[in-house]
């Protein structure tokens, strides 16, 4: 009898089944765990759906989703069937068991271990390959939608006479299908071979035949399918030559056929196609011949042909036919590349005119007059003056302005458009007095107001500061009444929960003002399910149970203009710089968007991230599509994002773009027609910077249309480095209202300079009409310089070595201030080029840039003066012609006393004026230390009035020297304070 317990070994522990209560508990916990994991996976999907529905672009979400699901199911199922059927067929064709060899004996234990689970193993393998293939295919949703919705370009390639849409829309899909076919054939072949080996159809060490007839036939068919696909690949490779990139002396990123492609690779691909097709037939023939002798010979011939015909023969042609006379051989293909590239980047209509760069005008007075009409010289550089906006208009530490402000056009009091520097006062959570979850996401939710300043003048409070046309908190000025709250902006990266029980801080000015969001943006958090979903998606459990969330609460996220446009139009490439405009009483972010492809035959490719980089993209503004290589681009869509309610609108801009037409077919109703653009919005649309930078980079080579000259590179240009920036990088393009030769009036333009490749002198100047409301919008004008003219870098070097500049810099050292150079503007003028550069100082008592000097250069002369008007007078050698620009402050102040009363004279009046000046100076210094800008402005006005009275006072006889000396001292103090 077995021992039932006790004894020297002690009692035995009997292990029984868990009790029913424990089993129920474990089962419940398991179900809850599965449900929790399912909810976590579902939460992301659900919140995405809610967001798209909130912005009224749910069709984008559903179209994309169903396309991905369809591709996943179709190609996942096809791959699973292909692999599964071949495994099943290999098992079905297994030979009957016979005398066991050592090899088969070693495999027998594997067969026995698999035998009970054959169906499950088959299902697991097919499911795994199906999931992988389906996931890969779902990522091709853009390729599929472009294929099924493709619109003809109406242009044919010069080699095969096929519409460009074949290369842009069809060929990518064919290549994906071919790649999928190769993957299915290879996986099926591997799976079938392993199955045949496991069940004895293939033998490695056993005596006798290495493969059964059934295995031979099965594997031969799979190899035949693989070789057939290779034949198709050879045929498609013929068309792929038209969009193939290669290294070529004539240009980087060459795309399209060259002489060796057309005369060696193209016929080689055709021959290899025929050989592969014959080889495939030989593999299929083994079903009847039951031998691999002929297929193996055919396959070897195909490989040898690929080496000789596809590799060696083109190398011989290149070496012995092309290289001895490469320029002549390649000329027809270079011409095709030039035409295609200019068309693909929309630079084919660029007007190139010769320009001497040397003025023949001898009348200095006329030159001075013409200079006033040539351009509205922007002395407020948006890349420099942001700290001045920050110091003078930030108002609270939890507000901020972008490092690079934007340039736009607004009408002044006289009804004329003026170049305006503008920035939004956005929220900065880093400046909050106390950081916590409630403050970050409920109390501080939005910025407040647009701040604008004239681009061509400076303010007097303090001197050299921006001349604000819209300022204060709340903002007021020339922009009129508009919704000033900024819930969506470039710096608004965090989510906010608004509209519920928790009040929001609106702004602080003469007391704290609160508000509650009344827009219809965001997603409602009124129900517990949505709150739970967002708690999971944002990894923030407080969203689920916080008392600050209740009836009316809405969550705002995806709040930058770029994020919102990318989400509702994932098929667009977004410009790196969204800019704000006040339109119809609302602040609208304007976003330029591009349609692109890399399948334009013969057009050379470019990497957007490289060509759109300049000296500002290092740390100030974004770069479009960092690694995206394209060879066709259009600014096809203008988008707006409302700064208050986040509403996104997409407007068709390029009505001829076939890529946009294709996407509009795929996503109907998402893009409004161009005619729907409001008139007031049209006034603020402009030519986009990133497109311009791509085009100017291409024009460094493709302004040349003669193949021989293009090949030699003798007239190649380059975009010069920014001479005003310490960081390396290309000079950024500048928006400027200016007049090109032959134009009657100034046009809002986007401008750039070129230098000859490897040389510093000026090679060319380019301007594009940037005013969207102009009938000449997008017209490119290139001035090719035909004489030796100083380039931007040389002008900057001369300026740095100028005696006046050296003295100015030496004087700055005593005030602990630094010099900052603004944008070096280049303007064509009467056959020559006028350079204008604002110069700022920063440091000392003020830690923001103030305009102190303006440099000008024309011909061989360079000057450094106190104002733009003085600089223009000096560079042309004429007397003062009066103010070049209005100098009145944004908020004019009246001097004390009656302005119609004649000024007091005499020694007493002089002494009083001097005392008042001293008092105003002292008050100004105290206000400056406290950063009380209101008091500082009043002190400046009082100082100006006192100096005016001192100058007007007439000293008594005998005291003139003392009075003059005292007045000089007062004037020196005023000058020192202004500096």
């Amino acid at each position: 009898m077995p021992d039932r317990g006790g004894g020297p070994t002690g009692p035995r522990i009997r292990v029984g089944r868990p009790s029913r209560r424990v089993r129920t508990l474990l089962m419940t916990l398991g179900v809850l765990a599965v449900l929790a994991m399912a909810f976590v996976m579902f939460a992301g999907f659900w919140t995405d759906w809610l967001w798209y529905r909130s912005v009224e672009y749910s069709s984008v979400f559903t179209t994309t989703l169903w396309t991905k699901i369809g591709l996943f199911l179709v190609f996942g199922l096809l791959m699973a069937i292909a692999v599964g059927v071949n495994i099943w067929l290999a098992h079905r064709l297994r030979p009957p068991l016979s005398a066991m060899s050592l090899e088969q004996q070693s495999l027998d234990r594997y067969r026995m271990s698999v035998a009970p689970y054959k169906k499950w193993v088959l299902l697991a393998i097919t499911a795994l390959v199906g999931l992988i293939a389906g996931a890969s295919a779902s990522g091709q949703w853009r390729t599929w939608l472009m294929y099924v919705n493709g619109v003809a370009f109406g242009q044919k390639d010069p080699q095969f006479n096929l519409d460009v849409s074949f290369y842009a829309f069809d060929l990518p899909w064919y290549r994906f299908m071919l790649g999928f076919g190769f993957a299915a054939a290879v996986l099926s072949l591997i799976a079938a071979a392993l199955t045949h080996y496991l069940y004895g159809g293939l033998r490695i060490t056993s005596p006798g035949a290495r493969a059964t007839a059934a295995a031979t036939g099965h594997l031969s068919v799979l190899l035949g399918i693989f070789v057939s696909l290779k034949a198709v690949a050879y045929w498609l490779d013929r068309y792929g030559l038209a969009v193939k990139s290669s290294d070529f002396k004539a240009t980087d990123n060459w795309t399209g056929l060259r002489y060796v492609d057309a005369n060696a690779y193209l016929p080689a691909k055709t021959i290899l196609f025929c050989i592969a097709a014959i080889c495939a037939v030989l593999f299929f023939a083994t079903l009847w011949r039951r031998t691999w002798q002929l297929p193996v010979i055919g396959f070897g011939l195909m490989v040898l042909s690929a080496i000789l015909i596809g590799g060696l023969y083109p190398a011989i042609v290149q070496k012995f036919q092309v290289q001895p006379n490469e320029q002549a051989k390649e000329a027809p293909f270079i011409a095709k590349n030039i035409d295609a590239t200019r068309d693909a980047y929309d630079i084919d209509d660029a007007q190139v005119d010769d320009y001497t760069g040397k003025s023949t005008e001898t009348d200095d007075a006329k030159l001075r007059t013409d200079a006033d009409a040539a351009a509205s010289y922007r002395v407020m550089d948006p890349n420099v003056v942001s700290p001045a906006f920050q110091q003078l208009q930030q108002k609270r530490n939890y507000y901020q302005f972008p490092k690079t402000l934007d340039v736009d056009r607004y009408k002044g009091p006289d009804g004329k458009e003026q170049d305006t520097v503008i920035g939004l006062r956005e929220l900065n959570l880093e400046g909050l007095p106390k950081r916590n979850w409630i403050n970050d996401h409920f109390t501080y939710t939005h910025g407040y107001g647009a701040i604008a300043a004239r681009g061509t003048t400076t303010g007097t409070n303090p001197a050299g500061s921006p001349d604000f046309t819209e300022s204060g908190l709340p903002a007021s000025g020339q922009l009129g009444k508009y919704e000033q709250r900024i819930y969506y902006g470039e710096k608004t990266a965090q989510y906010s929960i608004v509209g519920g029980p928790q009040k929001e801080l609106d702004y602080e000015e003469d007391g704290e003002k609160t508000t509650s969001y009344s827009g219809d943006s965001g997603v409602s958090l009124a129900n517990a399910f949505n709150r739970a979903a967002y708690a999971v998606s944002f990894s923030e459990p407080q969203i689920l149970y916080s008392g600050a969330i209740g009836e009316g609460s809405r969550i705002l996220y995806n709040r930058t203009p770029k994020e919102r446009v990318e989400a509702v139009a994932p098929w667009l490439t977004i410009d790196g710089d969204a800019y704000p405009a006040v339109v119809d009483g609302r602040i609208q972010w304007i976003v330029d968007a591009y349609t692109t492809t890399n399948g334009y035959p013969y057009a050379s490719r470019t990497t957007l991230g490289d060509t759109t980089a300049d000296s500002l993209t290092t740390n100030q503004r974004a770069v479009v599509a960092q690694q995206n290589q394209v060879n066709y681009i259009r600014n096809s869509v203008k988008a707006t994002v409302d700064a208050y309610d986040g509403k996104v609108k997409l407007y068709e801009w390029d009505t001829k773009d076939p890529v946009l037409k294709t996407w509009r077919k795929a996503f109907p109703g998402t893009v409004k027609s161009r005619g729907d653009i409001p008139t007031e919005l049209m006034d603020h649309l402009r030519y986009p910077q990133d497109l311009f930078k791509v085009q100017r980079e291409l024009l460094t080579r493709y302004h040349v249309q003669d193949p021989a000259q293009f090949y030699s590179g003798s007239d190649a240009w380059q975009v010069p480095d920014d001479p005003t920036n310490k960081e390396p990088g290309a000079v950024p393009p500048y928006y400027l209202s200016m007049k090109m030769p032959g134009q009657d009036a100034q046009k809002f333009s986007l401008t750039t300079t070129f230098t000859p490749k490897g040389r510093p002198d000026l090679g060319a100047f380019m301007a594009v009409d940037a005013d969207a409301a102009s009938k000449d919008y997008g017209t490119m004008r290139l001035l090719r310089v035909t004489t030796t003219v100083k380039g931007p870098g040389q002008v900057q070097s001369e300026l740095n070595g100028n005696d006046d500049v050296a003295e100015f810099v030496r004087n700055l050292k005593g005030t602990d201030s630094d010099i900052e150079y603004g944008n070096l503007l280049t303007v064509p003028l009467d056959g020559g080029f006028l350079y204008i550069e604002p110069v700022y100082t920063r440091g000392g008592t003020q830690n923001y840039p103030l305009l102190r000097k303006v440099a000008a250069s024309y011909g061989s002369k360079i000057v450094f003066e106190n104002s733009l008007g003085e600089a223009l007078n000096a560079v042309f050698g004429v007397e003062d012609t009066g103010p070049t620009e209005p100098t009145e402050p944004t908020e004019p102040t009246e001097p004390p006393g009656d302005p119609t009363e004649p000024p007091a004279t005499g020694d007493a009046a002089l002494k009083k004026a001097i005392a008042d000046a001293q008092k105003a100076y002292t008050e100004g210094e105290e206000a400056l230390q406290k950063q009380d800008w209101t008091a500082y402005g009043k002190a400046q006005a009082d100082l100006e009035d006192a100096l005016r009275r001192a100058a007007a006072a007439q000293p008594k006889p005998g005291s003139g020297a003392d009075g003059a000396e005292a007045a000089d001292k007062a004037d020196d103090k005023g000058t020192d304070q202004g500096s």
Side-chain angles (χ1 to χ4, degrees):
M1 296 291 293
D3 187 0
R4 299 186 181 276
T9 59
R12 293 188 177 183
I13 299 175
R14 299 188 62 178
V15 180
R17 296 178 61 190
S19 66
R20 179 177 297 178
R21 179 179 298 178
V22 173
R23 293 200 305 271
T24 303
L25 178 60
L26 292 174
M27 186 176 297
T28 302
L29 291 175
V31 171
L32 290 176
V34 171
L35 290 176
M37 288 188 291
F39 184 77
V40 169
M41 291 187 290
F42 177 75
F45 165 83
W46 181 246
T47 53
D48 284 348
W49 162 248
L50 291 175
W51 186 86
Y52 275 96
R53 192 174 63 175
S54 72
V55 294
E56 300 178 355
Y57 281 88
S58 55
S59 63
V60 174
F61 179 81
T62 54
T63 299
T64 304
L65 177 65
W66 286 116
T67 303
K68 289 180 178 179
I69 291 175
L71 291 173
F72 178 86
L73 293 176
V74 170
F75 286 94
L77 190 61
L78 286 175
M79 183 64 77
I81 290 174
V83 175
V85 165
N86 279 285
I87 292 175
W88 172 83
L89 186 59
H91 179 265
R92 182 74 179 269
L93 297 175
R94 67 189 184 279
L97 293 177
S98 57
M100 300 292 285
S101 65
L102 292 176
E103 182 182 18
Q104 294 304 311
Q105 288 177 9
S106 64
L107 290 173
D108 191 50
R109 60 184 179 191
Y110 294 106
R111 287 194 287 263
M112 293 181 65
S113 61
V114 168
Y117 310 105
K118 284 190 292 187
K119 291 183 179 180
W120 292 108
V121 170
L122 179 62
L123 287 174
I125 293 174
T126 55
L128 179 62
V129 297
L131 288 172
I132 295 173
S136 175
S138 66
Q140 298 293 323
W141 63 272
R142 290 180 178 86
T143 307
W144 166 251
L145 288 176
M146 294 180 78
Y147 171 70
V148 297
N149 296 287
V151 173
F153 276 66
Q155 294 171 286
K156 296 184 177 181
D157 78 283
Q159 183 66 44
F160 301 101
N161 204 32
L162 295 173
D163 192 89
V164 172
S165 61
F166 170 81
Y167 301 94
F169 306 141
D170 299 345
L171 190 58
W173 179 251
Y174 295 152
R175 282 176 164 167
F176 163 71
M177 292 284 289
L178 188 62
F180 177 83
F182 274 123
V186 169
L187 289 175
S188 298
L189 184 62
I190 293 172
L194 289 175
T195 306
H196 279 299
Y197 177 69
L198 181 63
Y199 288 98
L202 292 178
R203 304 179 182 89
I204 297 177
T205 61
S206 301
R210 298 296 182 190
T212 63
T216 300
H218 184 195
L219 297 179
S220 295
V221 170
L222 292 176
L223 287 169
I225 293 173
F226 178 86
V227 176
S228 298
L229 292 172
K230 188 60 181 175
V232 176
Y234 282 132
W235 188 257
L236 287 181
D237 284 347
R238 298 168 68 254
Y239 304 109
L241 293 172
V243 290
K244 183 193 73 170
S245 291
S246 59
D247 296 328
F248 186 33
K249 175 183 176 181
T251 182
D252 296 331
N253 296 317
W254 171 276
T255 301
L257 286 83
R258 290 158 50 194
Y259 181 90
V260 70
D261 296 312
N263 295 277
Y265 280 111
L266 187 57
K269 296 292 183 182
T270 305
I271 294 171
L272 289 172
F273 163 76
C274 296
I275 293 173
I278 294 171
C279 186
V281 171
L282 293 177
F283 273 108
F284 291 134
T286 57
L287 284 173
W288 296 276
R289 294 180 56 86
R290 302 296 184 181
T291 176
W292 280 353
Q293 185 176 5
L294 287 178
V296 168
I297 293 173
F299 188 79
L301 177 62
M302 185 180 73
V303 172
L304 183 62
S305 300
I307 296 172
L308 296 178
I309 302 175
L312 185 59
Y313 173 62
I316 293 173
V317 171
Q318 178 69 25
K319 180 71 174 177
F320 296 102
Q321 291 190 34
V322 178
Q323 288 185 5
N325 192 16
E326 189 172 43
Q327 180 177 311
K329 295 289 187 182
E330 301 289 8
F333 303 95
I334 293 174
K336 295 174 184 178
N337 176 268
I338 291 173
D339 292 341
T341 302
R342 289 173 61 88
D343 183 74
Y345 291 95
D346 201 20
I347 55 177
D348 51 326
D349 292 329
Q351 303 173 12
V352 182
D353 298 314
D354 288 339
Y355 189 78
T356 61
K358 302 282 188 180
S359 176
T360 57
E361 180 61 60
T362 58
D363 187 345
D364 292 338
K366 183 178 185 305
L367 282 172
R368 176 66 179 86
T369 302
D370 290 346
D372 282 340
S376 297
Y377 305 97
R378 182 164 37 74
V379 293
M380 282 291 106
D381 184 354
N383 310 315
V384 174
V385 300
S386 177
F389 274 55
Q390 192 82 1
Q391 289 288 332
L392 300 176
Q393 295 295 327
Q394 180 188 23
K395 301 300 184 182
R396 295 291 182 269
N397 286 337
Y398 49 80
Y399 291 132
Q400 65 179 327
F401 290 93
K403 290 184 178 180
T404 299
L405 302 173
D406 289 293
V407 178
D408 203 347
R409 297 142 294 150
Y410 287 90
K411 291 182 179 178
D414 57 358
K416 294 182 179 179
E417 282 193 346
Q418 59 188 15
D419 290 359
T420 300
V421 178
I422 187 170
L424 298 190
R425 189 191 284 119
E426 293 192 48
L427 187 65
N428 175 23
L429 291 181
E430 298 299 324
L432 294 187
K434 184 178 181 181
R435 296 292 302 274
N436 55 52
W437 189 63
I438 292 295
N439 277 349
D440 287 1
H441 301 290
F442 291 83
T443 304
Y444 296 89
T445 59
H446 58 279
Y448 210 98
I451 304 301
R454 292 184 179 93
T456 55
T457 63
T458 61
T460 59
N461 187 16
S465 64
D467 185 5
F468 293 110
T469 58
E470 184 80 10
S471 59
L473 180 67
S476 60
Q478 294 182 5
L479 299 183
K481 292 185 177 180
Y482 61 96
E483 174 56 68
Q484 297 196 22
R485 297 173 184 87
I486 303 162
Y487 283 88
Y488 295 88
E490 288 183 301
K491 303 297 182 182
T492 314
Q494 78 287 350
Y495 70 88
S496 289
I497 299 176
V498 298
Q502 181 72 36
K503 289 293 184 180
E504 310 162 46
L505 176 68
D506 206 19
Y507 61 89
E508 291 181 277
E509 190 76 8
D510 299 328
E512 184 177 290
K513 314 291 185 185
T514 61
T515 188
S516 186
Y517 185 69
S518 59
D520 59 356
S521 182
V523 178
S524 172
L525 294 179
N527 65 74
F529 187 82
N530 285 0
R531 292 172 67 171
Y534 279 101
V536 170
S537 293
F538 289 4
S539 300
E540 182 50 72
Q542 293 188 78
I543 294 177
L544 183 60
Y545 55 77
S546 174
I549 303 175
E551 189 66 31
S553 291
R554 309 179 72 84
I555 185 167
L556 313 180
Y557 62 105
N558 287 352
R559 298 171 70 182
T560 68
K562 189 173 187 291
E563 281 180 320
R564 296 181 79 78
V565 176
E566 280 180 333
V568 303
W571 34 274
L572 289 173
T573 300
I574 310 302
D575 190 273
D577 182 33
Y579 61 97
V582 177
V583 179
D584 292 328
R586 311 280 284 198
I587 298 176
Q588 300 283 351
W589 288 100
I590 300 175
V591 183
D592 286 288
Y594 310 108
T595 47
T596 63
T597 179
N598 64 355
Y600 199 101
Y602 272 103
S604 289
R605 289 186 173 89
T606 186
T607 303
L608 293 182
D610 294 338
T611 53
T612 58
D614 59 32
S615 63
L616 299 180
T617 56
T618 305
N619 55 14
Q620 294 195 42
R621 65 183 296 265
V623 177
V624 57
Q626 187 69 41
Q627 300 300 326
N628 194 7
Q629 269 214 336
V630 305
N631 67 352
Y632 172 94
I633 186 170
R634 290 291 186 275
N635 177 210
S636 54
V637 171
K638 301 283 189 181
T640 62
V641 177
D642 193 289
Y644 181 73
D645 63 19
K647 188 176 293 295
V648 182
K649 293 182 180 178
L650 307 176
Y651 296 101
E652 176 190 33
W653 185 247
D654 190 328
T655 57
K656 299 178 180 178
D657 178 30
V659 182
L660 177 60
K661 292 178 181 178
T662 296
W663 286 118
R664 292 188 75 180
K665 280 181 64 179
F667 295 96
T670 56
V671 181
K672 299 176 181 291
S673 298
R674 179 166 175 158
D676 294 331
I677 299 177
T679 302
E680 190 170 348
L681 174 60
M682 183 71 78
D683 292 339
H684 295 278
L685 299 182
R686 68 189 191 189
Y687 202 85
Q689 292 184 69
D690 282 336
L691 175 62
F692 184 75
K693 285 190 282 189
V694 170
Q695 291 172 324
R696 75 173 180 178
E697 184 65 31
L698 269 297
L699 280 168
T700 59
R701 291 302 307 268
Y702 286 92
H703 68 277
V704 176
Q705 298 187 58
D706 177 69
Q709 190 178 15
F710 185 91
Y711 177 85
S712 68
S714 59
D715 195 22
W717 300 333
Q718 65 187 15
V719 179
D721 285 340
D722 185 357
T724 68
N725 201 309
K726 296 178 181 178
E727 298 291 334
V731 60
Y734 296 128
Y735 287 106
L736 183 68
S737 290
M738 58 164 292
K739 184 169 64 174
M740 288 286 281
Q743 289 184 313
D744 298 328
Q746 293 180 16
K747 298 284 188 180
F748 186 67
S749 305
L750 190 54
T751 67
T752 192
T753 53
F754 298 98
T755 57
K757 194 165 186 178
R759 302 210 320 266
D761 50 298
L762 190 65
F765 176 84
M766 181 171 77
V768 61
D769 192 330
D771 184 358
S774 169
K775 62 181 179 63
D776 294 325
Y777 172 84
T779 300
M780 288 184 177
R781 296 177 175 88
L782 274 160
L783 301 179
R784 182 195 286 114
V785 181
T786 57
T787 60
T788 302
V789 177
K790 291 182 294 186
Q794 292 172 311
V795 172
Q796 188 66 48
S797 295
E798 285 190 17
L799 178 63
N800 294 341
N802 183 272
D803 292 339
D804 293 337
V805 176
E807 182 181 358
F808 182 72
V809 173
R810 281 195 301 270
N811 293 337
L812 282 180
K813 291 181 179 178
T815 62
D816 194 27
S817 297
D818 294 322
I819 188 171
E820 288 190 26
Y821 293 106
N823 37 220
L824 180 56
L825 303 176
T826 309
V827 177
L829 176 64
D830 289 335
F833 285 100
L834 173 64
Y835 290 97
I836 297 291
E837 182 174 27
V839 180
Y840 305 81
T841 61
R842 178 173 182 169
T845 57
Q846 110 281 334
N847 192 28
Y848 56 90
L850 293 177
L851 181 69
R852 293 305 186 199
K853 295 284 186 177
V854 176
S857 175
Y858 191 76
S860 59
K861 192 172 184 180
I862 189 165
V863 298
F864 189 67
E865 301 295 336
N866 292 324
S867 68
L868 174 61
E870 292 179 19
L872 291 175
N873 291 338
V875 80
F876 295 115
V878 299
E879 297 296 328
D880 187 7
T881 60
T884 303
E885 66 278 341
T887 58
E888 68 277 11
T890 304
E891 298 177 0
T893 57
E894 292 187 8
D898 185 356
T900 64
E901 184 179 340
T905 60
D907 188 58
L910 179 61
K911 289 181 179 179
K912 185 178 187 308
I914 293 172
D916 290 343
Q918 179 63 50
K919 179 184 177 182
Y921 174 78
T922 303
E923 291 175 349
E925 287 294 299
E926 293 174 353
L928 197 60
Q929 294 294 329
K930 298 176 182 177
Q931 294 193 350
D932 185 345
W933 305 116
T934 303
Y936 183 79
K938 183 178 182 304
Q940 286 288 91
D942 291 344
L943 176 62
E944 183 179 357
D945 175 65
L947 293 175
R948 179 182 59 80
R949 288 187 284 113
Q954 295 294 328
K956 292 180 180 180
S959 62
D962 295 338
E965 182 180 356
D968 287 342
K969 289 180 179 179
D971 186 59
D972 288 343
K973 288 183 178 181
T975 304
D976 290 342
Q977 182 172 348
S979 299

